[in-house]
Amino acid sequence: ERIQFNSILGFTIQRDKTNDLFRPSEGFIHTATIQESGLLPLLLKNAQPNLPFTQFYSLTLQGRWYFDLTDRRFSIFALKLKAGYENKYGESSLDDSRTIPPAYRFYAGGGGSVRGWKSRDLSATGDPLFGGNVAMEGSAELRMKIMKSLSDDFLDKIWLVTFIDFGNV
């Protein structure tokens, strides 16, 4: 394992047109994130010529869509698509010893991703320490509020969710 200096500059833009912040039933959310690593250590290179760092960038796009099939928040259809790409640039692209740190690689699996896999278990090589530089994942869900007719506030929050997930790194 190589110790290196990392500085990440990131910018995220999001458009949220859903009807509820925590439990949306209609609308969409679109998100784009771009990150860059290596600018700050490159500026410090003259003062610290032996400072190990990797120059890389990443772009992640995500969309979520919600459809109320009953107009009463009883049956909700939800879709999610997510794609990401990262790559080295500058001097780092020519040097195989400069790698993108594992914490900044793409992974899939777990509760918010491809639910058939353990968290961060789906990676390019099958090794959860490696991750990958390209990721695509998505899901389709049908959410049904099975206790809607009851006036009990606790039971009213119980949903039955059927889903299918897909993805790879």
Side-chain angles (χ1 to χ4, degrees):
E1 181 177 321
R2 180 176 175 232
I3 297 174
Q4 66 182 27
F5 180 79
N6 294 311
S7 70
I8 306 292
L9 298 173
F11 177 73
T12 299
I13 187 167
Q14 178 171 304
R15 183 173 186 207
D16 186 340
K17 298 297 264 180
T18 58
N19 62 344
D20 188 310
L21 181 63
F22 298 107
R23 292 177 302 226
S25 61
E26 293 179 335
F28 63 88
I29 301 172
H30 296 153
T31 306
T33 301
I34 188 163
Q35 295 181 322
E36 183 279 337
S37 176
L39 181 62
L40 184 58
L42 190 62
L43 296 173
L44 297 173
K45 191 173 181 182
N46 290 337
Q48 294 286 328
N50 296 325
L51 185 65
F53 67 96
T54 302
Q55 294 172 286
F56 66 93
Y57 63 90
S58 72
L59 174 65
T60 305
L61 302 173
Q62 180 170 297
R64 293 175 182 262
W65 298 268
Y66 303 92
F67 306 94
D68 188 344
L69 302 177
T70 59
D71 293 329
R72 296 185 335 249
R73 295 178 82 123
F74 175 74
S75 184
I76 311 299
F77 183 67
L79 290 170
K80 177 186 87 167
L81 293 173
K82 182 178 178 181
Y85 177 76
E86 67 184 5
N87 204 358
K88 298 188 298 184
Y89 73 92
E91 295 174 8
S92 298
S93 64
L94 305 173
D95 186 350
D96 287 339
S97 70
R98 295 186 186 190
T99 60
I100 298 173
Y104 299 104
R105 305 287 293 184
F106 288 114
Y107 297 89
S113 180
V114 183
R115 291 170 265 198
W117 296 79
K118 291 187 279 183
S119 181
R120 298 174 59 105
D121 206 31
L122 186 56
S123 67
T125 63
D127 181 355
L129 296 176
F130 184 71
N133 67 335
V134 176
M136 290 202 64
E137 63 182 57
S139 69
E141 293 182 352
L142 180 60
R143 306 171 184 173
M144 297 176 61
K145 192 179 279 195
I146 57 176
M147 304 287 189
K148 178 72 175 166
S149 63
L150 299 175
S151 60
D152 187 303
D153 284 341
F154 176 75
L155 292 176
D156 191 46
K157 293 179 176 68
I158 297 175
W159 290 75
L160 175 67
V161 179
T162 304
F163 62 87
I164 184 167
D165 294 338
F166 61 91
N168 207 345
V169 175

